[in-house]
């Protein structure tokens, strides 16, 4: 007997002019792991919202068809009732937090269900042990990195213990070690007989866990694969699907992008930015960021890598003048205080929802061009060219909040490019992006890199291979080394 039945479902978001889901028929057996994949905007997230009840209760639109879970009519149940049986981990986990500290967040759902105090404490202790998150306890929610927030979100779901768990891009902000930990969690849930529905672009860590891979395109289910069938596809056939690599071996075999290397070889490279001293601390004498005597060169694309929680995002904010960092930097031999770096930099944030302000995609890009000495017509033409390069030209009149996660990410990248700032910083720009979107972002970053400094905090090895010239290893708030990229290190998930 199937656990979940979705029959003849069509859905169109309010204010959208196309179907997000069209004629969806899907049967999911109890205890199975189903992987939803496809290009950004294909409908993966919308299917998860059907199952966790956010469609139609929180996302207005036109919905038809039937959804049955446990043989119950799901469309007649409230989100409060559904949440007892379905746990959700969102692409941006911080958007689902309700408390100020991690301890309270872990047990929030259990408290909402009115469980006894001793039961709640027992569940909390079990989850802390199982997820190995002792170091994340008694922490402010606002102090968590993206990867740490993902761990807390998963742990809070496990604390309640629903039979069905939906996860939307769960690896998007995780480092390699955290992805290994996520795999362990997913395997544990599978062994417990949980039904897992995972919307994901990064497939390599899931294909030995998934029972079925559902491939969507433009709101429709195009085909279904077993992992074995997906691996039998030739590389050419697989690439035509527009999916990310199937294994770490495929990633490691990718050649380092030659155009990125030519940026350095063909352009004169001078020390454009000297970080003489850059410090940021919440408490006195407890520096989170401490950078000294580091040169960043124009015509270089730096991949800023390191584990979750090491301070990469804080470093980018400090470099962009967005927090209260102190220190002296030199740009083209002229001293610049850390707090004034915003004049030279544009930061694409990890959560791009924080920097989308206007009512249309086109206006969002035009907003970042407001200081450029161009006519209105010239600005619009430039904006449309950038949007076309990022495959967003068909969405110029859409409200930014109606876009998929990947489309929002590309829009933020478009705004950064349009700003024409000499230093552009990216915090996980490919989280939520499909293979084509990742390639487009890599290509446009390369196209604007001449005479600019680009620094990208990323956990995406495919993206690094596509566009980076150098790797900055970051640990405990410090730059450990800067290495020219010429080879790939082999890794194993096991």
């Amino acid at each position: 007997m199937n656990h979940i039945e979705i029959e003849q479902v069509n859905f169109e978001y309010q204010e959208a002019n196309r179907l997000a889901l069209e004629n969806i028929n899907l049967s999911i057996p109890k205890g199975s792991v189903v992987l939803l994949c496809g290009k950004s905007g294909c409908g993966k997230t919308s299917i998860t919202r059907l199952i966790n009840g956010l469609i139609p209760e929180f996302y207005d639109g036109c919905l038809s068809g039937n959804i049955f879970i446990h043989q119950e009519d799901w469309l007649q149940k409230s989100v409060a009732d559904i949440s007892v049986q379905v746990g959700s981990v969102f692409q941006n986990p911080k958007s689902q937090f309700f408390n100020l500290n991690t301890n309270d967040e872990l047990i929030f759902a259990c408290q909402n269900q009115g469980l006894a105090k001793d039961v709640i404490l027992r569940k909390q202790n079990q989850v802390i042990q199982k997820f190995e998150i002792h170091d994340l306890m008694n922490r402010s929610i606002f102090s968590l990195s993206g990867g740490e927030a993902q761990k807390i979100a998963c742990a809070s779901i496990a604390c309640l213990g629903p039979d069905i768990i939906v996860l939307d891009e769960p690896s998007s902000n995780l480092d390699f070690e955290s992805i290994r930990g996520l795999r362990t969690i997913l395997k544990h849930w599978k062994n417990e007989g949980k039904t897992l529905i995972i919307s994901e672009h990064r497939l390599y860590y899931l294909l030995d866990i998934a029972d079925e891979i559902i491939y969507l395109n433009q709101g429709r289910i195009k085909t279904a694969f077993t992992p074995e069938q997906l691996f039998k596809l030739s590389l050419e056939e697989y690439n035509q699907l527009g999916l990310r690599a199937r294994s770490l071996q495929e990633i490691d075999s990718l050649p380092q992008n030659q155009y990125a290397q030519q940026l350095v070889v063909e352009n004169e490279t001078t020390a454009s930015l000297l970080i003489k001293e850059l410090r940021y601390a919440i408490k006195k004498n407890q520096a989170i960021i401490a950078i000294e005597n580091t040169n960043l060169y124009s015509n270089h694309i730096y991949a800023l890598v390191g584990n979750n929680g090491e301070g990469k995002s804080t470093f980018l904010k400090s470099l962009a003048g967005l927090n209260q960092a102190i220190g002296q930097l030199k740009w083209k031999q002229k001293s610049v205080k850390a707090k004034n770096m915003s004049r030279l930099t544009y930061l694409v944030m990890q959560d791009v929802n924080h920097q989308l302000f206007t009512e249309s995609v086109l206006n969002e890009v035009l907003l970042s061009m407001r200081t450029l000495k161009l006519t209105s017509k010239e600005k619009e033409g430039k904006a449309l060219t950038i949007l076309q390069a990022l495959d967003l030209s068909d969405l110029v009149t859409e409200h930014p909040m109606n876009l998929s996660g990947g489309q929002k990410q590309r829009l933020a990248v478009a705004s950064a490019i349009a700003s024409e700032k000499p230093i552009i910083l990216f915090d996980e720009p490919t989280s939520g992006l499909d293979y084509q979107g990742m390639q487009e972002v890599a290509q446009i970053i390369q196209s604007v890199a001449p005479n600019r400094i680009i620094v990208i905090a990323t956990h995406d090895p495919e993206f690094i291979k596509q566009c980076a010239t150098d790797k900055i290893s970051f640990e405990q708030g410090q730059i450990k080394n800067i290495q020219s990229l010429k080879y790939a290190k082999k890794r194993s998930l096991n």
Side-chain angles (χ1 to χ4, degrees):
M1 181 176 65
N2 290 321
H3 207 186
I4 302 171
E5 289 283 358
I6 300 175
E7 301 174 346
Q8 298 289 317
V9 166
N10 296 277
F11 181 71
E12 182 177 327
Y13 288 99
Q14 191 175 18
E15 300 179 4
N17 55 12
R18 61 184 176 83
L19 286 173
L21 296 173
E22 185 175 356
N23 195 32
I24 297 296
N25 291 279
L26 185 60
S27 296
I28 301 177
K30 181 177 176 58
S32 62
V33 179
V34 174
L35 172 57
L36 306 174
C37 64
K39 296 180 180 179
S40 296
C42 69
K44 304 186 300 297
T45 297
S46 296
I47 289 180
T48 67
R49 290 171 179 168
L50 287 176
I51 295 169
N52 64 20
L54 294 183
I55 292 176
E57 190 154 335
F58 282 92
Y59 291 94
D60 292 331
C62 183
L63 174 65
S64 63
N66 299 301
I67 305 168
F68 297 97
I69 298 181
H70 301 305
Q71 298 182 312
E72 297 179 275
D73 187 347
W74 221 232
L75 298 180
Q76 301 302 314
K77 297 177 75 69
S78 69
V79 169
D81 291 335
I82 290 173
S83 65
V84 179
Q85 301 179 64
V86 180
S88 301
V89 179
F90 299 155
Q91 183 173 343
N92 174 20
K94 290 184 179 180
S95 67
Q96 68 187 88
F97 292 157
F98 293 89
N99 297 275
L100 299 178
N101 66 76
T102 53
N103 291 51
D104 290 343
E105 187 60 40
L106 209 60
I107 60 176
F108 180 71
C110 294
Q111 290 175 322
N112 270 352
Q113 299 304 321
L115 299 182
K117 183 177 179 179
D118 60 328
V119 174
I120 293 175
L121 293 176
R122 185 175 69 252
K123 285 176 172 286
Q124 183 186 40
N125 289 331
Q126 289 172 344
V127 166
I128 292 171
Q129 295 288 337
K130 185 186 302 180
F131 282 60
E132 298 180 352
I133 53 173
H134 303 80
D135 59 326
L136 298 182
M137 293 296 94
N138 298 304
R139 291 270 301 274
S140 166
I141 287 294
F142 304 105
S143 72
L144 301 178
S145 70
E148 290 169 336
Q150 194 74 281
K151 292 178 185 178
I152 293 297
C154 288
S156 64
I157 295 303
C159 218
L160 185 61
D163 291 333
I164 301 169
I165 303 171
V166 297
L167 303 97
D168 190 12
E169 303 285 350
S171 75
S172 60
N173 297 316
L174 298 185
D175 59 41
F176 186 76
E177 288 303 315
S178 296
I179 289 176
R180 194 199 306 264
L182 175 62
R183 270 171 52 85
T184 300
I185 293 168
L186 296 175
K187 285 182 175 181
H188 182 83
W189 278 339
K190 181 174 183 176
N191 291 336
E192 287 184 335
K194 306 289 187 185
T195 302
L196 306 180
I197 300 94
I198 308 169
S199 165
E200 184 62 282
H201 286 303
R202 296 179 185 174
L203 307 186
Y204 68 85
Y205 75 98
L206 289 171
L207 292 183
D208 64 341
I209 301 174
D211 298 300
E212 187 174 30
I213 298 103
I214 305 297
Y215 177 74
L216 294 106
N217 188 30
Q218 296 183 336
R220 289 188 166 206
I221 294 177
K222 288 299 183 181
T223 188
F225 299 97
T226 64
E228 293 76 18
Q229 289 170 334
L230 200 67
F231 275 109
K232 285 181 180 179
L233 295 177
S234 69
L235 192 57
E236 182 180 357
E237 292 172 322
Y238 184 75
N239 287 339
Q240 287 176 353
L241 297 176
L243 299 176
R244 293 294 197 105
R246 290 170 287 191
S247 68
L248 288 173
Q249 289 71 30
E250 282 187 355
I251 297 174
D252 289 336
S253 66
L254 293 171
Q256 196 70 39
N257 188 279
Q258 293 303 306
Y259 178 71
Q261 297 300 324
Q262 290 169 6
L263 276 173
V264 179
V265 174
E266 296 179 0
N267 293 279
E268 181 182 355
T269 58
T270 56
S272 297
L273 181 68
L274 168 62
I275 305 176
K276 193 173 182 180
E277 183 180 339
L278 182 65
R279 294 183 182 277
Y280 173 72
I282 296 177
K283 295 181 180 180
K284 190 176 182 180
N285 300 323
Q286 292 184 6
I288 297 174
I289 301 298
I291 311 294
E292 294 182 2
N293 297 322
T294 298
N295 283 319
L296 298 179
Y297 296 88
S298 59
N299 309 314
H300 285 241
I301 302 172
Y302 296 94
L304 181 66
V305 301
N307 291 333
N308 292 124
E310 297 288 354
K312 299 186 300 299
S313 297
T314 304
F315 170 59
L316 293 184
K317 290 177 182 177
S318 300
L319 201 57
L322 296 181
N323 55 24
Q324 295 180 345
I326 59 173
Q328 289 293 327
L329 303 93
K330 282 191 175 182
W331 168 247
K332 293 185 176 179
Q333 307 303 317
K334 294 182 179 180
S335 294
V336 183
K337 291 183 178 180
K339 65 180 182 180
N340 296 328
M341 282 295 292
S342 59
R343 293 186 285 108
L344 302 171
T345 59
Y346 192 107
L347 171 63
V348 178
M349 298 179 182
Q350 189 169 340
D351 180 5
V352 295
N353 291 296
H354 292 319
Q355 57 187 129
L356 299 176
F357 303 105
T358 70
E359 295 186 354
S360 76
V361 166
L362 178 59
N363 285 336
E364 196 66 46
V365 178
L366 291 174
L367 180 65
S368 69
M369 303 168 66
R370 62 191 183 280
T371 60
L372 302 185
K373 295 179 180 180
L374 300 172
T375 66
S376 297
K377 187 174 182 180
E378 288 172 333
K379 288 180 180 178
E380 184 168 332
K382 181 180 177 67
L384 290 172
T385 298
I386 294 171
L387 289 170
Q388 184 175 17
L390 285 167
D391 198 26
L392 293 170
S393 56
D394 292 338
L395 301 170
V396 290
T397 60
E398 287 279 347
H399 195 291
M401 291 304 168
N402 288 338
L403 304 181
S404 71
Q407 290 165 340
K408 287 178 183 178
Q409 196 77 34
R410 280 181 280 155
L411 177 56
V413 171
S415 296
I417 303 305
S419 73
E420 295 192 351
K421 296 287 183 71
I423 302 170
I424 303 182
L425 314 171
F426 297 92
D427 196 357
E428 297 288 351
T430 60
S431 63
L433 291 188
D434 57 32
Y435 184 73
Q436 180 181 340
M438 180 268 292
Q439 285 188 313
E440 289 168 350
V441 170
Q443 289 166 3
I444 201 163
I445 286 176
Q446 289 173 355
S447 72
V448 299
N451 303 313
R452 280 194 177 94
I453 295 172
I454 309 288
V455 184
I456 309 167
T458 181
H459 296 302
D460 190 340
E462 288 178 271
F463 179 59
I464 291 172
K465 281 290 192 77
Q466 286 286 333
C467 76
T469 63
D470 301 83
K471 181 173 71 173
I472 301 175
S473 297
F474 204 80
E475 185 179 333
Q476 296 182 340
Q478 298 181 7
I479 292 175
K480 292 301 181 181
N481 62 69
I482 300 178
Q483 175 189 12
S484 177
L485 286 175
K486 294 181 180 178
Y487 65 91
K489 183 179 178 181
K490 296 186 180 296
R491 296 147 297 168
S492 172
L493 279 168
N494 298 316

